[in-house]
Amino acid sequence: MMKKTSLLVSAFSLCLGAAQAEELKPSGWVILPAIGSSPETGFQYGVYAMHQFAQTAVGEPQDRLSFLLQGTTKGQYQANIQPDIFIAGGDWNLTGGLSGVYWPTPYYGQSNEVDLDADEESYKLTAFTAEAGAAYAVTPNLRLGGLAFVESEDIEDDAGNTLLSEADLGFDGGLYVGLGLTASWDTTDDRDWPTRGTLAQAELRQYNVSLGSDYDYVLLQTAASQYFPIGSDVLALGVNYAYGNDETPFSRLPRPSGESSLRGADGNLWIGHQLFGLQTEYRMTLTERWATTAFIDAAQVADDADELAWDRFHTALGGGIRYATLAGSRFNVRADIALIDVESIGFTISVGEAF
């Protein structure tokens, strides 16, 4: 799967509330200019919008529909729409998305040892994706579900790029079709700003030639977080693991995202068949709208599990600020700055928490 890029936004929001019954949360819009910069993209511009529908019953999650239109000064463009709907009293969660990207992407090979100042080579990625998922609440805390997805990818490589060649699976892209399974265990008290409880998630995707896919391969993504209240503040701990088997195309191999893991880093630097990450964050509430954080992210990649080791971690040490875009709900804009491997400064602005 293509790297999911950081959504860089300025701290500007427009929130429209439609008052419902006193105990129910109202509907609202969040509209954010997608403005920022990163080493991979240069200056970013565009718009992010999210509509949160009015709550229909106490304790039931609110439906959401989000949109993104974005471009960069390096000639990268993307657009997507993502619904997140709850039906049958919240028992069923329906998700999905449509997206299209044209994204020239730096490539440094597949390794955990690439230097931060390594020379970059690049390829031009054009991709279109459609997927749908449904998850059922087996118990109040456990959801199990399934996915179906179709992803078309075209890759145009510079002939002078010596790192990327026909020896790399998915060298020229392909059609990727498959089915998946999802599971989540959630005892947290809030979907956007949890202050207590556990959240554990797993997603297994199987791409199969019998369904029309050009490759047979497997992707597994798992993550678990624990939240501890400290007065009005929160200590959050997280761990994540991702796996792609030997038949996984190079553009879809696990890597840090730079937004939700190893914040501020260019995750394209480190790509492998396995990814292991750890996160710690202290979240200090300042007002109903404002908060600040301090965090340490660590991540590494490897082709084999026996290569994972404590001395192979890359680190991001930093802090950030948060601003709640919706009254009565901490759906936050966040800005984070970090020292990457004690060598360089990275910066990201996004929406929602990293974990």
Side-chain angles (χ1 to χ4, degrees), residues 210-270:
S210 65
L211 299 175
S213 181
D214 289 340
Y215 292 93
D216 273 319
Y217 68 98
V218 173
L219 285 177
L220 172 66
Q221 293 183 320
T222 65
S225 304
Q226 182 69 45
Y227 306 93
F228 301 95
I230 302 176
S232 61
D233 302 334
V234 182
L235 174 64
L237 305 176
V239 58
N240 57 85
Y241 172 78
Y243 167 79
N245 69 355
D246 290 341
E247 303 304 313
T248 304
F250 84 95
S251 62
R252 287 150 184 274
L253 287 172
R255 68 201 69 191
S257 71
E259 176 191 0
S260 59
S261 60
L262 209 60
R263 276 168 280 181
D266 180 357
N268 288 305
L269 284 164
W270 304 297

Side-chain angles (χ1 to χ4, degrees), residues 13 46 50 52 69 98 102 105 142 152 176 182 195-196 262 267 270 289 308 325 341 344-345:
S13 64
M50 188 273 285
Q52 180 163 267
L69 291 172
L98 294 172
Y102 173 73
T105 302
L142 175 65
S152 175
Y176 308 123
T182 62
T195 64
R196 66 183 69 244
L262 209 60
W270 304 297
R289 291 276 192 172
L308 298 171
T325 59
D341 281 351
S344 68
I345 300 295

Side-chain angles (χ1 to χ4, degrees), residues 69-340:
L69 291 172
Q70 187 181 54
T72 80
T73 53
K74 292 191 177 182
Q76 300 155 318
Y77 304 95
Q78 67 171 331
N80 65 53
I81 178 172
Q82 295 180 319
D84 185 7
I85 307 297
F86 292 86
I87 62 173
D91 286 346
W92 282 96
N93 180 207
L94 306 181
T95 58
L98 294 172
S99 67
V101 304
Y102 173 73
W103 209 260
T105 302
Y107 185 66
Y108 306 91
Q110 298 176 27
S111 173
N112 191 62
E113 313 305 329
V114 179
D115 294 330
L116 291 173
D117 58 356
D119 293 333
E120 76 174 49
E121 303 183 51
S122 65
Y123 59 91
K124 297 176 182 178
L125 171 69
T126 303
F128 299 93
T129 300
E131 71 173 63
Y136 180 72
V138 179
T139 73
N141 303 123
L142 175 65
R143 284 188 184 271
L144 300 177
L147 295 168
F149 34 84
V150 178
E151 304 158 358
S152 175
E153 186 174 273
D154 179 73
I155 289 177
E156 181 181 343
D157 179 42
D158 186 341
N161 187 339
T162 58
L163 284 176
L164 193 57
S165 70
E166 293 181 358
D168 296 292
L169 287 173
F171 167 75
D172 55 359
L175 179 65
Y176 308 123
V177 185
L179 301 172
L181 297 173
T182 62
S184 67
W185 174 263
D186 188 357
T187 64
T188 60
D189 56 350
D190 190 88
R191 68 191 296 195
D192 297 316
W193 186 260
T195 64
R196 66 183 69 244
T198 303
L199 175 62
Q201 299 172 301
E203 178 182 284
L204 177 67
R205 292 178 177 241
Q206 171 68 66
Y207 297 80
N208 200 296
V209 294
S210 65
L211 299 175
S213 181
D214 289 340
Y215 292 93
D216 273 319
Y217 68 98
V218 173
L219 285 177
L220 172 66
Q221 293 183 320
T222 65
S225 304
Q226 182 69 45
Y227 306 93
F228 301 95
I230 302 176
S232 61
D233 302 334
V234 182
L235 174 64
L237 305 176
V239 58
N240 57 85
Y241 172 78
Y243 167 79
N245 69 355
D246 290 341
E247 303 304 313
T248 304
F250 84 95
S251 62
R252 287 150 184 274
L253 287 172
R255 68 201 69 191
S257 71
E259 176 191 0
S260 59
S261 60
L262 209 60
R263 276 168 280 181
D266 180 357
N268 288 305
L269 284 164
W270 304 297
I271 302 173
H273 287 276
Q274 303 193 50
L275 166 70
F276 180 48
L278 299 169
Q279 294 177 287
T280 301
E281 182 169 277
Y282 189 85
R283 301 171 180 174
M284 179 179 292
T285 301
L286 302 178
T287 69
E288 290 186 358
R289 291 276 192 172
W290 291 95
T292 186
T293 67
F295 63 85
I296 302 175
D297 288 357
Q300 61 178 295
V301 298
D303 285 334
D304 298 301
D306 58 8
E307 295 178 5
L308 298 171
W310 291 108
D311 60 355
R312 287 170 54 86
F313 276 110
H314 298 282
T315 58
L317 172 64
I321 57 173
R322 306 290 185 265
Y323 176 74
T325 59
L326 288 170
S329 174
R330 279 198 174 274
F331 182 76
N332 289 334
V333 171
R334 61 180 170 92
D336 291 320
I337 187 169
L339 180 63
I340 311 300

